[in-house]
């Protein structure tokens, strides 16, 4: 379908989750705002993700609470009743997103290209982004901005936080150098070994850094932080489960650098211009790594996937195994820390 986007006045963005992905989507939507400064934008977003992005300028948010089951769809339809958008950017490949899109009325419905449009997405769209070979997730998202006529696709971010959160972070960070460890991923198998986190933290402290542990309020994350602390020769500032998402964002902004596996806070740090050492085993860091800091990534993904797959490896293929992260050696992480510290001194 040939579409003219030069005169669009309203746009709906459908991207519900997760934290890392909505961080990528912010760069895309702000590129659109720069190109179309008068465009009215509505973002249908997940409940947790909204808590991070609710202060974004120029965006009307509609929260989709998947915990309500089928009622979440009727609530979405009710909230959007009477609205008809010029464009829908359908940016989530999931059956619940495909169903949710049926509640959104739009003249042009943009989805992924044929190779990436799954979970029935192609059934509810009438325009596709250009195919792109082996993209980072963020670059794949930028294809939606390009599809509606945006030319400057250079990622940048402006995610406001309340001044009280910035003050909170400044008080905790202080004047010295701080390494933040966000140790827990959404799945335990993607977490590095606690004794190795502790060893990396002890090295950072030997180089004059304060170490802060950050993360969410789950039992898994709190327990992991406690075990990391138990293996260390020093005492850390343990903020796990003690911060809101915007407070965490403020802490990441003021940190010297961040150590994390493939998890949301890793991408939050990127949005704040804070260097990240990412730890990867299950997913390709070329696709999901910290966008501007992939040179510091410590990854054994390519070695593992070569053992698991004969022949051509699909770009989004995940490696399988509960103990892959144990293949990441402490010395390799410390070498990456040395590189980052030397380059950022």
């Amino acid at each position: 379908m040939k579409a003219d986007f030069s005169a669009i006045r309203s746009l709906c963005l459908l991207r519900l989750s997760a934290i890392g992905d909505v961080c990528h989507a912010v760069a895309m939507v702000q590129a659109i705002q720069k190109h179309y400064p008068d465009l009215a934008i509505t973002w249908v977003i997940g409940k947790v993700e909204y808590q991070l992005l609710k202060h974004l300028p120029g965006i009307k948010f509609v929260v989709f609470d998947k915990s309500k089951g089928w009622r979440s769809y009727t609530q979405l339809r009710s909230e959007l009743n009477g609205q008809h958008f010029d464009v829908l950017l359908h940016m989530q490949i999931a059956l619940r997103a495909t169903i949710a899109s049926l509640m959104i009325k739009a003249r042009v419905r943009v989805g992924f290209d044929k190779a990436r449009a799954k979970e029935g997405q192609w059934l509810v769209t009438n325009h596709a982004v250009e195919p792109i070979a082996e993209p980072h997730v963020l670059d794949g998202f930028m294809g939606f901005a390009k599809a509606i006529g945006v030319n400057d696709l250079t990622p940048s971010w402006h995610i406001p936080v309340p001044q009280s959160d910035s003050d909170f972070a400044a008080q905790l960070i202080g004047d010295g150098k701080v390494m933040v460890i966000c140790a827990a991923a959404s799945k335990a198998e993607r977490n590095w070994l606690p004794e190795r986190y502790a060893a990396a933290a002890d090295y950072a402290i030997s180089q004059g850094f304060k170490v802060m542990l950050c993360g969410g309020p789950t039992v898994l994350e709190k327990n992991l932080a406690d075990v990391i602390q138990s293996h260390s020769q020093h005492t850390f500032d343990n903020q796990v489960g003690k911060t809101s998402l915007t407070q965490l964002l403020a802490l990441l902004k003021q940190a010297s650098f961040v150590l994390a596996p493939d998890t949301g806070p890793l991408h939050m740090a990127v949005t704040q211009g804070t260097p990240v050492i990412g730890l990867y085993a299950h997913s390709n860091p070329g696709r999901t790594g910290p966008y501007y800091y992939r040179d510091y990534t410590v990854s054994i993904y390519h070695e593992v996937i070569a053992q698991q797959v004969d022949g051509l490896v699909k770009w989004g293929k995940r490696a399988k195994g509960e103990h892959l992260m144990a293949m990441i050696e402490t010395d390799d992480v410390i070498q990456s820390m040395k590189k980052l510290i030397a380059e950022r001194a």
Side-chain angles (χ1 to χ4, degrees):
M1 175 181 174
K2 184 69 174 177
D4 178 13
F5 297 100
S6 60
I8 59 174
R9 301 180 64 182
S10 62
L11 178 146
C12 183
L13 166 65
L14 175 61
R15 180 72 214 191
L16 306 174
S17 59
I19 292 292
D21 288 324
V22 298
C23 285
H24 299 325
V26 169
M28 188 279 309
V29 78
Q30 292 184 335
I32 292 174
Q33 287 178 306
K34 186 185 298 183
H35 188 88
Y36 296 109
D38 299 323
L39 184 62
I41 299 177
T42 297
W43 187 336
V44 181
I45 193 169
K47 183 179 180 180
V48 172
E49 293 74 13
Y50 169 71
Q51 295 304 316
L52 175 65
L53 303 184
K54 60 186 176 182
H55 301 293
L56 281 182
I59 307 290
K60 176 186 176 182
F61 287 101
V62 175
V63 176
F64 182 89
D65 185 357
K66 65 180 181 181
S67 69
K68 294 183 177 180
W70 284 104
R71 287 183 296 162
S72 60
Y73 299 104
T74 56
Q75 182 178 335
L76 176 60
R77 182 172 58 188
S78 176
E79 290 199 41
L80 295 177
N81 186 39
Q83 297 186 58
H84 197 291
F85 300 96
D86 292 326
V87 178
L88 166 66
L89 301 184
H90 187 340
M91 297 178 59
Q92 183 139 358
I93 300 170
L95 184 58
R96 71 176 182 276
T98 297
I99 298 171
S101 74
L102 298 175
M103 313 299 140
I104 303 169
K105 297 179 180 179
R107 175 174 57 87
V108 180
R109 307 171 68 88
V110 184
F112 285 102
D113 57 280
K114 185 177 180 180
R116 291 180 286 168
K118 301 173 183 177
E119 299 287 342
Q121 190 196 60
W122 73 93
L123 298 173
V124 295
T125 58
N126 56 19
H127 192 89
V129 302
E130 292 181 4
I132 180 172
E134 302 185 345
H136 189 280
V137 171
L138 194 158
D139 295 323
F141 283 4
M142 279 295 185
F144 283 85
K146 183 178 181 181
I148 63 170
V150 176
N151 299 314
D152 185 358
L153 304 177
T154 305
S156 63
W157 293 266
H158 171 56
I159 307 177
V161 299
Q163 185 61 47
S164 58
D165 291 344
S166 295
D167 293 343
F168 165 84
Q171 184 175 5
L172 285 180
I173 294 289
D175 297 326
K177 302 180 294 183
V178 177
M179 176 179 91
V180 169
I181 298 177
C182 296
S186 58
K187 295 182 179 180
E189 66 180 18
R190 297 183 198 170
N191 298 337
W192 201 31
L193 279 64
E195 62 270 23
R196 297 184 190 179
Y197 275 124
D202 288 341
Y203 173 77
I205 291 170
S206 76
Q207 299 303 302
F209 288 81
K210 174 183 175 181
V211 172
M212 181 179 294
L213 302 178
C214 290
T218 66
V219 172
L220 183 151
E221 291 176 85
K222 290 180 178 180
N223 288 345
L224 179 58
D226 289 342
V227 178
I228 292 171
Q229 179 64 84
S230 71
H231 282 283
S232 175
Q233 305 167 23
H234 305 89
T235 301
F236 308 142
D237 184 352
N238 185 354
Q239 292 295 320
V240 173
K242 300 177 183 179
T243 61
S244 68
L245 279 172
T246 49
Q247 287 174 331
L248 175 57
L249 190 67
L251 286 170
L252 294 172
K253 180 177 183 177
Q254 298 182 40
S256 303
F257 71 96
V258 175
L259 176 65
D262 185 9
T263 185
L266 173 147
H267 300 289
M268 289 169 61
V270 174
T271 72
Q272 301 306 299
T274 300
V276 177
I277 297 174
L279 307 177
Y280 281 73
H282 294 86
S283 56
N284 184 348
R287 181 177 179 274
T288 64
Y291 192 81
Y292 281 128
Y293 305 105
R294 282 171 278 178
D295 287 348
Y296 300 124
T297 296
V298 182
S299 171
I300 49 89
Y301 168 80
H302 292 289
E303 294 92 322
V304 171
I305 206 69
Q307 296 172 2
Q308 295 186 1
V309 179
D310 291 328
L312 183 66
V313 178
K314 291 184 178 180
W315 182 242
K317 181 69 174 178
R318 289 188 179 274
K320 298 179 180 180
E322 294 183 8
H323 306 292
L324 300 183
M325 292 293 285
M327 297 172 63
I328 297 177
E329 299 291 346
T330 305
D331 287 345
D332 292 332
V333 175
I334 290 177
Q335 286 303 313
S336 187
M337 292 170 64
K338 289 179 178 179
K339 176 183 177 182
L340 187 154
I341 292 169
E343 291 180 357
R344 304 276 168 170

